[in-house]
Amino acid sequence: PGEAGAGAVLVAEDGRVRCLRRYLGEATNNVAEYQALLLALEEAVRMGARRLEVCSDSQLLVRQMQGRYAVRSPRLKELHRRAREMADRLESFRIRYIPREENALADEMANRAIEEGSKRASRPPAPDGAGGKSALHRAGCWVTPSGGDPRESATETRPPAADALRASVRARVKG
């Protein structure tokens, strides 16, 4: 176990990208992978997606979600159960393995979550009522790629209404 962050990148059929990250504190890498999957599932359901294809560089996560590997750890069993329940709400859920180098943006989101979480942990807590927004809202950003690398040449836009999104979302997750 060590400091951990979860990162997810959701891409709607129309090309809009939603980058998410969440600081987890102390966690194992497998817990972080499941937390990243849950982050993507929660956002996909919130967005009104009916179909979700998840790409992950964690073979353990992918194979457990596919039912090919048993989930033995009590902590992972609970996270797996929650992920299965959320995935079952969708018309279609697919998860597949991708090499780590193809998951760079989700990896970057997880790393940023750790950096930002570490900075917050070293500051004194804000007075009651200060801040207001959750870490998830501060972390997420809608971006519209404008050619080239979407991380470098993107403009923030407001989240669209749920009915403006297409039914499918692709997600890349990294813990």
Side-chain angles (χ1 to χ4, degrees):
E3 253 190 319
V9 178
L10 282 74
V11 181
E13 283 184 340
D14 62 6
R16 280 181 286 198
V17 177
R18 177 95 165 120
C19 300
L20 304 166
R21 58 191 178 265
R22 180 180 291 156
Y23 179 65
L24 304 175
E26 289 283 317
T28 66
N29 62 325
N30 292 328
V31 166
E33 296 291 353
Y34 267 100
Q35 291 289 355
L37 174 60
L38 288 167
L39 186 63
L41 282 163
E42 289 164 2
E43 185 64 12
V45 167
R46 191 195 69 72
M47 289 168 51
R50 295 190 305 263
R51 294 181 296 275
L52 182 66
E53 177 186 7
V54 174
C55 303
S56 173
D57 60 18
S58 169
Q59 287 186 5
L60 179 75
L61 172 76
V62 169
R63 290 177 180 166
Q64 285 179 337
M65 287 300 293
Q66 291 172 337
R68 294 170 55 195
Y69 283 3
V71 183
R72 299 197 194 312
S73 160
R75 175 69 175 127
L76 292 186
K77 278 184 182 180
E78 173 59 21
L79 295 171
H80 179 266
R81 182 193 62 75
R82 286 178 46 208
R84 274 280 29 119
E85 283 178 1
M86 294 192 79
D88 290 345
R89 291 185 198 170
L90 302 167
E91 275 178 26
S92 171
F93 174 81
R94 244 181 80 203
I95 187 167
R96 65 185 176 91
Y97 171 79
I98 58 170
R100 184 176 183 160
E101 57 271 8
E102 292 179 26
N103 211 17
L105 186 53
D107 192 45
E108 180 183 329
M109 292 297 103
N111 288 332
R112 279 192 192 175
I114 294 168
E115 290 168 15
E116 292 167 1
S118 295
K119 287 176 187 173
R120 278 195 306 271
S122 66
R123 279 191 244 140
D128 287 344
K133 291 188 177 182
S134 73
L136 178 60
H137 291 296
R138 280 196 304 270
C141 62
W142 277 100
V143 297
T144 306
S146 57
D149 185 343
R151 290 169 296 163
E152 296 174 358
S153 58
T155 55
E156 289 191 16
T157 62
R158 297 179 58 131
D163 57 357
L165 288 171
R166 302 253 172 99
S168 290
V169 175
R170 290 178 43 123
R172 297 202 177 221
V173 298
K174 177 65 183 168

